[in-house]
Amino acid sequence: MSQTYAPLIQAVDISVRRQNLLVLQNVSLDIHPGQIITLIGPNGAGKTTLLHALLGLLPISSGQVLRQPGLRIGYVPQHMPRDERIPLTVDRFLRLAGTHSDAERHAALQRVGVAALRQRFMAGLSGGEMQRVLMARALLRKPQLLALDEPAQGVDVSGQRALYALIRELRDELNCAVLLVSHDLHLVMAATDEVLCLNGHVCCRGRPDAVSQHPEYLRLFGHELDELAVYIHHHDHEHALDGSILESQRHD
Amino acid sequence: MIESLPFFHDFIWRALLGGLGVALIAGPLGSFVVWRRMAYFGETLAHAGLLGVGLGLFLHIAPMLSVAGIAIAMAVLLRLLEKRGDLASDTILGILAHSTLAMGLIVVSFMEAARVDLFAYLFGDILALSNVDLIYIAVADLIILGMLLWIWPKLLLVTISPDIARAEGIHVERVILIYTLLLAVTVAIAMKLVGVLLITSLLIIPAAAARRLASSPEQMAVIAIALGGLSVVGGLAGSWFWDTPTGPSIVVAALALFILTLVTPARR
């Protein structure tokens, strides 16, 4: 890991208040080039708030966020309202990312598997398609930091696996840092360098294998982990279209 | 016989040029009014326009300038109050619109002589455009179009997703403020044509009509300009041949075009 470089973003002891309620308390975090950092935590834990604070989308009440001057950020928000009022094709939307050639725009869409959507209108995209288009746009900017807020929501398990594999590949291709917000645990744990487990404050942090053994983490997610274990068991095999189990495709 | 045809009169040409000049800026700015849901903001500027007219007459400065000044003050005040975050935009706009209208009525009540002029400002008097007015409109067109072209891609991204724009380092507040100021000046200019009560219609009706015909934001702006121009021509013609009030005729012409677009299939 290239920890020797200066951090892209350095957050020192930041807190965020919303209507006198402390939603984020004393969080410090450095994001280094090439690093994949995942923010996990239950609903309302302040994951998106921390992401927004790091990107400068909302004011912090105390502490300090230092971003490298001219830092290129590719941001994929959690929600993108489908807006019927603006006639906007995917291609026109990509052209707002800067001056890129036709081929570059095609390649970016191709990279995330949605090249066919190029002439479609943004308002007609499904949630998953919108997510991919937003990713393509982020890629086009050759970001130093790719920030993804819950990219896997509404994606099925095999789709999620592919998505996290894609994120790792993109990190290697672009040599960018990746900041992920997620509340699904199992898959994201495998695809990340550092995990920050949040619940208003930082409960625990570190490499995924260490965090997954941490008592604070188990206290927050233990219940879900039990459910997940059952879940994994059921997906240990593939079904044929008629629902029968395909013996030849058993993983273990 | 020849005098009965409109194009032999200078004032008709001035009205036409002035109207087209306003349509040229109302099209793209109005498209953003539609995209950004700012119709009520246009209304507020119009209401505040009356206070501007009153102050202009009271202080003996050109009403177009005093209206522009008040409209800019409204734009800044709105952004400041919105930033506090404890009141919704429509509440703030409601307060600004009606309090400035009330203040405008009080200021005007002090001036017996102003009442006749006032009617022209409420409902517009496009046929009374002077050469000086045309110069004002031409200069405003150049500045507004130039500024708008300059901020266009940023303003578009800010409109589509302020968060993405901010993450990419765009000064969102600044871009919105510039746009709002351009809108304020446009309202001051357009007031002379259709009056404060009908200004918003020039911004939103052609743009709304263009929505169904356009397949890109730029197309929508250009089609809105064309439809606005057609409305001006249609309104002037209607007013000439049927002796109807000109400003309202332009708005009705725009409405007719909008209704026509409703029967065309939407492209999306």
Side-chain angles (χ1 to χ4, degrees):
Chain A
M1 200 46 39
S2 38
Q3 300 275 343
T4 47
Y5 293 108
L8 301 171
I9 295 182
Q10 196 170 16
V12 187
D13 205 26
I14 58 171
S15 298
V16 175
R17 246 170 228 288
R18 195 175 295 136
Q19 285 162 352
N20 289 326
L21 205 74
L22 206 53
V23 288
L24 205 62
Q25 199 179 352
N26 306 104
V27 178
S28 295
L29 175 66
D30 288 359
I31 303 173
H32 293 274
Q35 198 181 16
I36 300 183
I37 299 180
T38 304
L39 311 177
I40 59 170
N43 285 333
K47 304 180 296 278
T48 296
T49 303
L50 176 56
L51 180 84
H52 284 183
L54 292 170
L55 298 185
L57 304 186
L58 58 78
I60 53 174
S61 329
S62 66
Q64 215 178 4
V65 178
L66 300 168
R67 277 179 294 276
Q68 248 181 35
L71 178 67
R72 278 194 316 282
I73 296 173
Y75 171 48
V76 178
Q78 189 176 359
H79 297 292
M80 174 87 171
R82 269 183 287 281
D83 192 338
E84 293 268 358
R85 286 163 297 173
I86 309 182
L88 193 73
T89 60
V90 168
D91 194 58
R92 183 68 189 91
F93 179 60
L94 292 190
R95 277 194 280 136
L96 285 175
T99 42
H100 302 282
S101 73
D102 208 65
E104 283 173 304
R105 292 198 298 279
H106 179 78
L109 287 171
Q110 185 103 61
R111 189 67 193 84
V112 296
V114 289
L117 298 180
R118 190 160 169 193
Q119 299 308 330
R120 287 264 301 276
F121 281 95
M122 295 286 285
L125 299 182
S126 74
E129 289 170 336
M130 181 70 87
Q131 204 80 19
R132 293 295 170 120
V133 167
L134 290 171
M135 268 179 88
R137 188 182 181 287
L139 294 188
L140 204 49
R141 292 171 44 82
K142 304 253 180 309
Q144 295 163 281
L145 171 65
L146 190 56
L148 305 155
D149 195 348
E150 303 250 10
Q153 57 178 338
V155 180
D156 61 29
V157 175
S158 67
Q160 285 183 25
R161 204 169 279 134
L163 182 68
Y164 290 121
L166 175 65
I167 289 169
R168 281 191 84 89
E169 287 168 27
L170 292 174
R171 187 269 307 264
D172 296 340
E173 283 165 29
L174 298 166
N175 194 29
C176 62
V178 177
L179 182 61
L180 268 172
V181 168
S182 180
H183 64 228
D184 57 21
L185 306 160
H186 181 68
L187 292 163
V188 89
M189 288 298 229
T192 191
D193 299 318
E194 187 180 351
V195 175
L196 211 69
C197 181
L198 281 175
N199 194 14
H201 59 283
V202 179
C203 291
C204 55
R205 68 198 301 169
R207 299 194 58 82
D209 45 353
V211 166
S212 62
Q213 303 301 320
H214 196 282
E216 279 287 323
Y217 172 81
L218 292 172
R219 194 179 57 78
L220 273 177
F221 289 110
H223 177 63
E224 286 180 44
L225 285 176
D226 291 344
E227 287 174 6
L228 201 62
V230 178
Y231 195 52
I232 290 163
H233 170 79
H234 277 297
H235 283 261
D236 223 1
H237 51 259
E238 305 280 330
H239 292 274
L241 287 176
D242 62 359
S244 66
I245 294 169
L246 293 172
E247 290 298 328
S248 60
Q249 292 194 5
R250 271 187 187 278
H251 298 154
D252 315 301
Chain B
M1 177 65 202
I2 264 178
E3 286 78 24
S4 69
L5 290 173
F7 28 83
F8 286 94
H9 295 272
D10 279 355
F11 72 93
I12 285 288
W13 283 108
R14 280 196 297 271
L16 189 61
L17 281 176
L20 294 178
V22 167
L24 193 58
I25 44 178
L29 287 174
S31 298
F32 274 104
V33 171
V34 170
W35 297 332
R36 300 183 58 77
R37 306 176 197 234
M38 288 177 76
Y40 198 14
F41 177 68
E43 288 295 328
T44 304
L45 290 181
H47 281 73
L50 186 71
L51 177 59
V53 170
L55 286 177
L57 296 174
F58 192 71
L59 302 170
H60 301 289
I61 48 178
M64 210 182 258
L65 295 179
S66 58
V67 170
I70 288 287
I72 289 171
M74 286 299 109
V76 174
L77 210 54
L78 171 70
R79 301 297 316 160
L80 288 179
L81 288 172
E82 268 181 351
K83 265 196 133 166
R84 289 168 51 101
D86 50 358
L87 288 173
S89 296
D90 60 339
T91 306
I92 299 170
L93 288 172
I95 293 168
L96 292 178
H98 298 109
S99 53
T100 49
L101 180 63
M103 287 194 286
L105 290 170
I106 291 172
V107 170
V108 169
S109 75
F110 287 129
M111 294 170 295
E112 292 291 322
R115 295 217 174 131
V116 181
D117 285 341
L118 190 63
F119 194 79
Y121 287 108
L122 284 177
F123 299 103
D125 196 358
I126 190 173
L127 300 180
L129 282 183
S130 67
N131 288 331
V132 176
D133 291 330
L134 286 186
I135 292 170
Y136 272 132
I137 293 174
V139 171
D141 269 18
L142 277 178
I143 294 172
I144 290 173
L145 281 182
M147 298 273 283
L148 195 58
L149 281 177
W150 176 52
I151 62 166
W152 186 273
K154 288 182 188 145
L155 183 57
L156 201 51
L157 184 59
V158 164
T159 301
I160 295 163
S161 171
D163 277 350
I164 292 180
R166 206 169 274 129
E168 293 182 359
I170 292 174
H171 298 281
V172 172
E173 291 299 318
R174 194 188 301 167
V175 171
I176 295 176
L177 185 63
I178 292 174
Y179 166 68
T180 316
L181 294 181
L182 298 182
L183 200 56
V185 175
T186 302
V187 165
I189 298 283
M191 177 192 66
K192 192 89 183 200
L193 278 69
V194 291
V196 291
L197 292 180
L198 295 176
I199 282 171
T200 314
S201 62
L202 276 196
L203 288 167
I204 62 173
I205 298 179
R211 169 62 187 96
R212 299 177 71 86
L213 307 175
S215 57
S216 77
E218 292 73 22
Q219 255 184 34
M220 181 160 151
V222 170
I223 295 173
I225 293 174
L227 294 178
L230 273 179
S231 311
V232 169
V233 173
L236 281 172
S239 162
W240 180 272
F241 290 111
W242 295 304
D243 199 24
T244 52
T246 317
S249 302
I250 293 173
V251 176
V252 170
L255 174 70
L257 290 173
F258 173 73
I259 291 170
L260 271 180
T261 66
L262 284 183
V263 297
T264 66
R267 296 166 64 178
R268 47 179 212 97

